[in-house]
Amino acid sequence: MKIRSFDVYIVDLPTIRPHQLAMHTIVSQSIVVGRVTDEEGREGWSEVATIGGASYGESTPEAIKANIDTYIAPLVIGKDPVHFDKIMYEVSQEVRGNNFAKTVVETAIIDLAARSKGVAAFELFGGQIHTSLPIAWTLASGDTAKDIEEAKEFLHQKRHKIFKLKIGKGDPFKNVEHVRKIKQAVGDEARITVDVNQAWDEDTANYCIAALEDGGVSMVEQPLPTWNYEGMARLTARFKVPIMADEAANSIQDVFQISKHRAGNCIALKPCKAGGLTQTKKVAGIAEAAGIGLYGGTMIESSLGTAICAQLYATIPEMKFGTEIFGPLLFQDDLTLEPIKFENFEVIIPNGPGFGVEIDREKVKHYARSL
Ligand code: MUC
Ligand code: MG
């Protein structure tokens, strides 16, 4: 069984409402979809999502596609998909960085490898420990009254009881008030966390985190820029509320440094940051050894990317902070034939061959950019 071809599509999927982050408001999410085909005509599919072009991170959808087409795809042709770790090691010898692109390639190959053996992808990662995981929702309409209404509705529907608020845009002090009002409105029924997406300096963080802690917030994600490991360590030592590293926690080396210097007491996992599923498992292992809590992060993927994250997170023993793989719920449409299921405040881990979802080719065609 040998890989015959690797194709990459850029798909733009509209959201149900504007989703406001520090650096960008998402109304349409640019998703990179990968398809690997073997000589027998079997296929594996993958997805990585990007936020706001080059504003969130360095990997733009256009760069991911160009670098796969030009540099990575030629290296995987003719290889046996079952040897996905060996293939990605060989890729790493010729391609530096490009973790999002490597994730598109690695996960499509894993989907194909698992399907060719007739098993779920999590079987290739030691088996499924969780059948479902807690699922947070991000309140990011930018409007306090709307956010409170949304939170109450989802509590009522038993869809979410952990809400993350994006507070990196605008006046930090007004944003802290916004968070405190939402926490007051939901009371003990829900946990409120915040994601600053690197927007504060250390002085602002010192003042605002004290007010957030006092207001009952239960986690503060990436308050400082990625480079400020020392500042993150000081915040972690100073406050009781857990400080999460997201944009700062990419590679196994980053996570080792964060663990060693306690530059955060929890980290957000995301396969695209680490460069694939094998690397994400290594990141989780380092964090586990250091007693750093884990969170199943998202870049807001559609059902395919969400299934990929879900299956990997299901193999990790302790996901102390739950997950936020809510992406499919934010989109007007989907790229798979069956939706991801959310029940009783949890996401149900898809089961079945590969990542447990079937791609909807018509939808990929419909939303793909003409290149
Ligand atoms: C991030 O920084 O965590 C995850 C949820 C959300 O609303 O935005 C993303 C990115
Ligand atoms: Mg984040």
mmCIF file of all heavy atoms in Angstrom, residues 56 164 166 195 197 221-222 246-247 270 324, ligand 2:
data_model
loop_
_atom_site.group_PDB
_atom_site.id
_atom_site.type_symbol
_atom_site.label_atom_id
_atom_site.label_comp_id
_atom_site.label_asym_id
_atom_site.label_seq_id
_atom_site.Cartn_x
_atom_site.Cartn_y
_atom_site.Cartn_z
ATOM 1 N N TYR A 56 -3.344 35.749 13.705
ATOM 2 C CA TYR A 56 -3.273 34.901 14.909
ATOM 3 C C TYR A 56 -1.900 34.236 15.019
ATOM 4 O O TYR A 56 -1.304 34.183 16.077
ATOM 5 C CB TYR A 56 -4.383 33.840 14.880
ATOM 6 C CG TYR A 56 -4.481 33.034 16.160
ATOM 7 C CD1 TYR A 56 -5.385 33.372 17.150
ATOM 8 C CD2 TYR A 56 -3.645 31.929 16.385
ATOM 9 C CE1 TYR A 56 -5.476 32.646 18.338
ATOM 10 C CE2 TYR A 56 -3.711 31.202 17.557
ATOM 11 C CZ TYR A 56 -4.636 31.564 18.533
ATOM 12 O OH TYR A 56 -4.711 30.843 19.700
ATOM 13 N N LYS A 164 -15.874 30.380 27.932
ATOM 14 C CA LYS A 164 -14.621 31.141 27.808
ATOM 15 C C LYS A 164 -14.959 32.481 27.165
ATOM 16 O O LYS A 164 -15.708 32.537 26.190
ATOM 17 C CB LYS A 164 -13.663 30.320 26.942
ATOM 18 C CG LYS A 164 -12.411 31.034 26.502
ATOM 19 C CD LYS A 164 -11.341 30.017 26.104
ATOM 20 C CE LYS A 164 -10.711 30.327 24.780
ATOM 21 N NZ LYS A 164 -9.606 29.409 24.444
ATOM 22 N N LYS A 166 -13.517 35.932 25.364
ATOM 23 C CA LYS A 166 -12.372 36.491 24.651
ATOM 24 C C LYS A 166 -12.257 37.950 25.049
ATOM 25 O O LYS A 166 -13.138 38.759 24.696
ATOM 26 C CB LYS A 166 -12.615 36.375 23.148
ATOM 27 C CG LYS A 166 -12.588 34.940 22.649
ATOM 28 C CD LYS A 166 -11.170 34.440 22.711
ATOM 29 C CE LYS A 166 -10.936 33.237 21.862
ATOM 30 N NZ LYS A 166 -9.567 32.753 21.971
ATOM 31 N N ASP A 195 -9.770 34.291 27.762
ATOM 32 C CA ASP A 195 -8.611 34.165 26.877
ATOM 33 C C ASP A 195 -8.228 35.562 26.407
ATOM 34 O O ASP A 195 -9.026 36.250 25.772
ATOM 35 C CB ASP A 195 -8.956 33.266 25.676
ATOM 36 C CG ASP A 195 -7.727 32.877 24.875
ATOM 37 O OD1 ASP A 195 -6.633 33.398 25.161
ATOM 38 O OD2 ASP A 195 -7.870 32.037 23.950
ATOM 39 N N ASN A 197 -5.446 36.185 24.590
ATOM 40 C CA ASN A 197 -4.735 36.084 23.308
ATOM 41 C C ASN A 197 -3.550 37.059 23.214
ATOM 42 O O ASN A 197 -3.423 37.810 22.241
ATOM 43 C CB ASN A 197 -5.695 36.270 22.122
ATOM 44 C CG ASN A 197 -6.558 35.043 21.860
ATOM 45 O OD1 ASN A 197 -7.780 35.112 21.936
ATOM 46 N ND2 ASN A 197 -5.939 33.904 21.578
ATOM 47 N N GLU A 221 -6.238 32.519 30.188
ATOM 48 C CA GLU A 221 -5.434 31.951 29.098
ATOM 49 C C GLU A 221 -4.586 33.026 28.411
ATOM 50 O O GLU A 221 -5.086 34.097 28.068
ATOM 51 C CB GLU A 221 -6.401 31.305 28.096
ATOM 52 C CG GLU A 221 -5.740 30.541 26.980
ATOM 53 C CD GLU A 221 -6.765 29.736 26.157
ATOM 54 O OE1 GLU A 221 -7.814 29.323 26.699
ATOM 55 O OE2 GLU A 221 -6.514 29.550 24.962
ATOM 56 N N GLN A 222 -3.344 32.713 28.224
ATOM 57 C CA GLN A 222 -2.341 33.512 27.486
ATOM 58 C C GLN A 222 -2.512 35.018 27.675
ATOM 59 O O GLN A 222 -2.738 35.757 26.707
ATOM 60 C CB GLN A 222 -2.394 33.151 25.988
ATOM 61 C CG GLN A 222 -1.145 33.573 25.204
ATOM 62 C CD GLN A 222 0.119 32.845 25.622
ATOM 63 O OE1 GLN A 222 0.165 31.618 25.627
ATOM 64 N NE2 GLN A 222 1.153 33.574 25.995
ATOM 65 N N ASP A 246 -1.227 29.120 25.838
ATOM 66 C CA ASP A 246 -1.772 28.605 24.571
ATOM 67 C C ASP A 246 -0.783 28.921 23.436
ATOM 68 O O ASP A 246 0.022 28.073 23.074
ATOM 69 C CB ASP A 246 -3.157 29.215 24.306
ATOM 70 C CG ASP A 246 -3.764 28.710 23.000
ATOM 71 O OD1 ASP A 246 -3.211 27.764 22.422
ATOM 72 O OD2 ASP A 246 -4.791 29.259 22.536
ATOM 73 N N GLU A 247 -0.794 30.176 22.966
ATOM 74 C CA GLU A 247 0.110 30.515 21.857
ATOM 75 C C GLU A 247 1.582 30.261 22.230
ATOM 76 O O GLU A 247 2.419 30.055 21.339
ATOM 77 C CB GLU A 247 -0.059 31.987 21.442
ATOM 78 C CG GLU A 247 -1.368 32.299 20.732
ATOM 79 C CD GLU A 247 -2.452 32.773 21.705
ATOM 80 O OE1 GLU A 247 -2.610 32.132 22.777
ATOM 81 O OE2 GLU A 247 -3.138 33.753 21.403
ATOM 82 N N LYS A 270 -3.192 21.623 20.965
ATOM 83 C CA LYS A 270 -3.814 21.765 19.639
ATOM 84 C C LYS A 270 -2.891 21.040 18.675
ATOM 85 O O LYS A 270 -1.717 21.426 18.555
ATOM 86 C CB LYS A 270 -3.918 23.235 19.207
ATOM 87 C CG LYS A 270 -4.910 24.075 19.990
ATOM 88 C CD LYS A 270 -4.899 25.532 19.541
ATOM 89 C CE LYS A 270 -5.739 26.374 20.502
ATOM 90 N NZ LYS A 270 -5.600 27.815 20.254
ATOM 91 N N GLU A 324 -12.487 22.475 24.436
ATOM 92 C CA GLU A 324 -13.281 23.561 23.851
ATOM 93 C C GLU A 324 -13.491 23.286 22.365
ATOM 94 O O GLU A 324 -13.539 24.215 21.561
ATOM 95 C CB GLU A 324 -12.572 24.898 24.066
ATOM 96 C CG GLU A 324 -11.177 24.917 23.479
ATOM 97 C CD GLU A 324 -10.499 26.281 23.463
ATOM 98 O OE1 GLU A 324 -10.989 27.222 24.099
ATOM 99 O OE2 GLU A 324 -9.464 26.386 22.788
HETATM 100 MG MG MG B 2 -6.324 30.607 23.266
#
